[in-house]
Amino acid sequence: MLPIALALLLALTPISPVLAASASEWASKSIYQLVTDRFATSSNSSTPCDTSQRTYCGGSWAGITQHLDYIQDMGFDAVWISPISKNLDGTAYGDGYWLTDLDTTSSRFGTAQDLKNLSAALHARGMYLMLDVVVNHFAALPQNSSSSSLLSTASKTSLTSPLGDLLDISINFPDLLPLSKEADFHPACFIADYTNQTEVEQCWLGDEKLPLPDVNTEDPDVVETLYKWIADMVKEYGVDGVRIDTVKHIRRAFWEGFTQRAGVFTLGEVCTDNATYAASYLGAVDGVLDYPTWYKLIMAFASVSGNLSAIQDAPSLPSLASPPSSSSSSKSQPILTGSFLENHDQPRFPSFTHDVALRKNAMVWPFVGDGLPIVYYGQEQGYEGGGDPSNREALWLSGYKSDKPGVALLKTLNGVRKQAIKANESFLATPAHWITQSEPSTIMLSKPPLLTLFTNVGANDSTYQPTWRIPAGLYAPGTTLIDVLACRAVARDGASAEGETLVKAKGGMPQVLIPASMLSRSGDGMCPALATGPGEGAGREGTGAASMQSRVGRGLAVVGALGVVALL
C-alpha cells in the first residue's frame, strides 16, 4: 500500500505532463534501468524469486513508486522500466519482451493508473520516465505447445530453422493485437545469417518452441498503427523518453518516422561490436546504446591481462553518425549514446571477475565519458548473476541496503558528473579525449574539468602499481586535483608548468580527478575537507608550514616537475 501522504499527493495531482521531449534535455541525465517484475513488490514483501524458473516474481509499478527515494538518493534522475504491454503467459516469460497485445498494459505489473501514478511521482521529483518498447516482433506459442489452452484459431505456416530445416508451426495470429492478420507479419523464416541485412530485418527471432513473428514494417497500415501507438502511449502515461528494443531488425527509415511521432528522446538498442554499423542508426533515433564500446570494456577489465588500448582506440559513435535522411528530423539535437556496464541481456560484470579493483574501474566508465550513464538495477548491491535469466534477480532480497560500497560509488559518480556539468557549461558538448600513457596497464581520459585514471592491474598485485602521467598545461599551475573516489588530493606546483605530474596507482583502483575549487566545502558535498569552492567556510587555502602540514594530513601532496605523487 502507498504511504498516506504519497497517496494523497497522487490523488490530487493531474496526469503529469511529459517533462522532456528532446535529446538535449536528456543529455545531463543519469538513468537507472530496472526490470519491473524484479525491482519491488507492492507489499514490500520479501517474496522468494528463483530466476532459473523464469516465472513472475511479483514486482510492480506501485512497488517502484514506493522506492523512488532509493533511486534518487544515489543521484539518478531518470528511470528506465521494462516494457508495459501485455505479454505471453506460459511456463516462461520475457520480462515484458514477449508481447501479445500492444495496446493493453500487463496486469502482472498493476493497473494503468498505477503506471500513471509512477509517472506523476517521478515528475514531482523532477525525474524522467523512460519506457522500453518492442515493435519488431510479437510472441506466439505454437499449436503443439503445452500451453495450447492459451491459443485460439491458428494459421499454419512453414518456418525455416537456422539449420535450414523446414518446420511446420501453427501461429495464432488472431491472438496478436492489434496486428492480428498473417499479412501484418513478414513471411516465416528464422534468421540464419546476421551478415545479411535483409534477413536480419525480415526474418524471425526466436525458435520452433517460441517463435517471435516479425512485424511487417514495410506495410503502410502497420506502420501507421505503430506510429499512432507510440504517440498515444507517450501522451497517456507522461513518458519522457523511449528505449527501443531490437532496432537493427527494422529498416532505418521506419525509425525516423517513429522518433518523430514519439516526440520524445529515443534510445535504440543496436547489439553489435561494429561501431560504424551501430552509428548508422544515429539520426534515425536520437541515440543508441554504445554496445561497440561495451564489448571492449569487458575485454579491458574482465581480467588483469585485458586490452585497455582497445577502449582507447575505439571510434566515437557520434563521429561516425550519418545525417538524417528526412528533412523533418531535427539536426540541432545532440547525438547521444547510452554508456553502460550491465543490462538485462548481458551477464553482470562481477560474473566475469571477483577482483574489486577491476570491478570498480569498469563501473566508473559510464560516468566520465561522452555517453549518457545507464546503471542496471542490482549493480549497486553487488549482484553477480551471469547470463539471462541469472542476471534478473529480485532486488527486494537485498533489503535495498544503502551502506553498500556500490551505492556509495554510484552516488559519488553521479555527484561528480553533475558538478562537472555545473562547472563547465560546455561539458556535455565537448568530446572527451584520451591522453597517451606509457604503461599498457593504464589509460587516461580527459573531459574537462574531469580527468579519469584507469588501470587493470587489479587489486591483488601488491608488488607493482603503475603510474599515470598528467601532462603539463592540462590544468593551471597550482591547481589542486581531488580524487573524489578516495577523497585524496594532488596539487600541481606552479613553478613547474612545463613538467609532468606522476600519479602512482593505489590498490589498482581508478581515480576521478576534479579541481578542488569546483567542489563545495559544505558538509553535504563531495570531499568537503579538501574542497576550496563555494560553500560554508570556503576561502583561499593558507600558506606556510602549518597550513602545509594540515593539507598533507588530509591527503594532499604538492609536487614539482616529474615528481611522484603518493596519494596518502
Side-chain angles (χ1 to χ4, degrees):
M1 180 177 293
L2 287 173
I4 294 176
L6 178 58
L8 288 174
L9 172 65
L10 295 178
L12 296 173
T13 302
I15 296 303
S16 183
V18 176
L19 290 185
S22 68
S24 60
E25 292 170 302
W26 273 88
S28 64
K29 301 303 175 186
S30 178
I31 302 172
Y32 186 84
Q33 180 201 354
L34 58 85
V35 174
T36 298
D37 184 62
R38 304 300 168 86
F39 179 75
T41 64
S42 302
S43 62
N44 284 318
S45 62
S46 294
T47 305
C49 179
D50 183 352
T51 59
S52 67
Q53 297 301 306
R54 295 179 178 267
T55 57
Y56 288 94
C57 289
S60 67
W61 297 315
I64 300 171
T65 304
Q66 294 168 15
H67 289 84
L68 291 181
D69 281 347
Y70 172 80
I71 298 173
Q72 192 173 34
D73 286 350
M74 287 186 285
F76 294 99
D77 41 26
V79 177
W80 156 9
I81 67 173
S82 46
I84 65 173
S85 295
K86 184 178 179 181
N87 260 232
L88 185 71
D89 272 336
T91 58
Y93 87 117
D95 293 313
Y97 297 91
W98 293 350
L99 67 92
T100 57
D101 185 344
L102 198 60
D103 292 326
T104 304
T105 57
S106 173
S107 61
R108 291 280 190 177
F109 307 142
T111 66
Q113 187 59 50
D114 289 337
L115 181 55
K116 293 175 183 179
N117 289 345
L118 171 59
S119 177
L122 284 165
H123 293 165
R125 295 167 178 261
M127 299 173 71
Y128 289 177
L129 172 64
M130 174 175 280
L131 289 193
D132 206 331
V133 301
V134 184
V135 294
N136 172 69
H137 56 266
F138 281 63
L141 286 169
Q143 181 68 47
N144 59 357
S145 167
S146 59
S147 299
S148 58
S149 59
L150 299 172
L151 308 179
S152 61
T153 305
S155 297
K156 196 168 187 179
T157 187
S158 294
L159 281 164
T160 303
S161 77
L163 298 178
D165 303 320
L166 284 176
L167 305 168
D168 287 329
I169 297 179
S170 295
I171 301 299
N172 303 276
F173 293 105
D175 286 344
L176 307 181
L177 301 173
L179 306 176
S180 55
K181 303 189 302 292
E182 186 171 359
D184 293 335
F185 298 87
H186 286 131
C189 60
F190 286 127
I191 301 172
D193 181 6
Y194 275 85
T195 66
N196 184 327
Q197 188 62 28
T198 300
E199 191 170 323
V200 168
E201 293 177 0
Q202 298 190 13
C203 285
W204 296 18
L205 294 167
D207 55 33
E208 62 270 23
K209 293 182 180 179
L210 183 64
L212 304 180
D214 198 77
V215 177
N216 182 3
T217 47
E218 286 74 33
D219 185 293
D221 292 336
V222 170
V223 169
E224 179 55 30
T225 296
L226 296 176
Y227 284 0
K228 183 179 185 302
W229 170 77
I230 191 62
D232 291 346
M233 186 191 67
V234 165
K235 182 179 179 180
E236 179 74 11
Y237 298 108
V239 177
D240 307 296
V242 176
R243 181 269 186 184
I244 308 171
D245 190 64
T246 51
V247 162
K248 72 179 183 181
H249 293 277
I250 296 180
R251 59 194 172 89
R252 188 184 190 277
F254 170 88
W255 295 121
E256 292 188 18
F258 190 87
T259 293
Q260 183 184 4
R261 292 287 288 273
V264 295
F265 173 63
T266 54
L267 181 67
E269 178 218 21
V270 184
C271 188
T272 179
D273 62 357
N274 186 317
T276 301
Y277 180 78
S280 69
Y281 290 91
L282 290 168
V285 291
D286 294 318
V288 296
L289 294 172
D290 193 356
Y291 258 107
T293 300
W294 175 82
Y295 281 103
K296 294 175 175 60
L297 186 67
I298 301 303
M299 291 171 57
F301 293 112
S303 75
V304 295
S305 60
N307 181 11
L308 286 184
S309 64
I311 298 179
Q312 186 169 327
D313 297 339
S316 164
L317 292 186
S319 71
L320 299 173
S322 301
S325 61
S326 170
S327 59
S328 62
S329 298
S330 172
K331 298 182 181 181
S332 63
Q333 296 297 327
I335 291 175
L336 299 181
T337 58
S339 186
F340 65 98
L341 176 62
E342 297 179 6
N343 64 31
H344 61 292
D345 287 325
Q346 306 300 337
R348 291 189 182 272
F349 186 74
S351 68
F352 295 114
T353 178
H354 294 292
D355 189 297
V356 294
L358 293 176
R359 290 181 179 184
K360 193 168 186 178
N361 274 271
M363 282 186 70
V364 166
W365 168 258
F367 293 86
V368 296
D370 297 331
L372 188 62
I374 302 172
V375 169
Y376 184 50
Y377 85 103
Q379 240 179 288
E380 72 277 8
Q381 297 293 337
Y383 278 11
E384 300 182 346
D388 176 19
S390 299
N391 60 351
R392 303 184 184 189
E393 309 95 321
L395 192 64
W396 56 81
L397 298 179
S398 73
Y400 308 97
K401 293 179 181 177
S402 60
D403 58 353
K404 288 282 191 173
V407 173
L409 175 60
L410 293 177
K411 187 173 183 178
T412 296
L413 291 171
N414 272 317
V416 75
R417 183 175 184 266
K418 286 178 170 60
Q419 192 60 34
I421 293 170
K422 180 181 179 180
N424 179 4
E425 62 181 13
S426 63
F427 178 82
L428 296 172
T430 304
H433 68 278
W434 294 102
I435 298 175
T436 303
Q437 298 294 297
S438 58
E439 298 193 46
S441 61
T442 62
I443 51 177
M444 181 182 293
L445 184 68
S446 174
K447 189 172 176 68
L450 298 183
L451 183 66
T452 307
L453 318 180
F454 297 96
T455 177
N456 65 355
V457 72
N460 299 321
D461 194 334
S462 59
T463 61
Y464 168 71
Q465 290 294 307
T467 298
W468 293 280
R469 293 172 172 265
I470 302 177
L474 200 61
Y475 294 94
T479 299
T480 301
L481 298 176
I482 308 296
D483 172 18
V484 295
L485 302 185
C487 284
R488 300 188 182 98
V490 178
R492 293 182 60 86
D493 186 355
S496 308
E498 70 276 13
E500 293 178 309
T501 297
L502 306 188
V503 182
K504 192 82 169 178
K506 187 176 179 66
M509 293 296 178
Q511 298 180 28
V512 179
L513 308 182
I514 190 172
S517 61
M518 295 182 180
L519 297 178
S520 172
R521 284 188 173 183
S522 63
D524 59 352
M526 290 173 292
C527 310
L530 296 174
T532 62
E536 183 179 354
R540 186 170 61 88
E541 287 186 325
T543 59
S547 177
M548 178 63 68
Q549 182 178 9
S550 172
R551 296 200 302 275
V552 172
R554 298 199 310 263
L556 179 148
V558 178
V559 300
L562 296 178
V564 176
V565 179
L567 296 178
L568 304 178

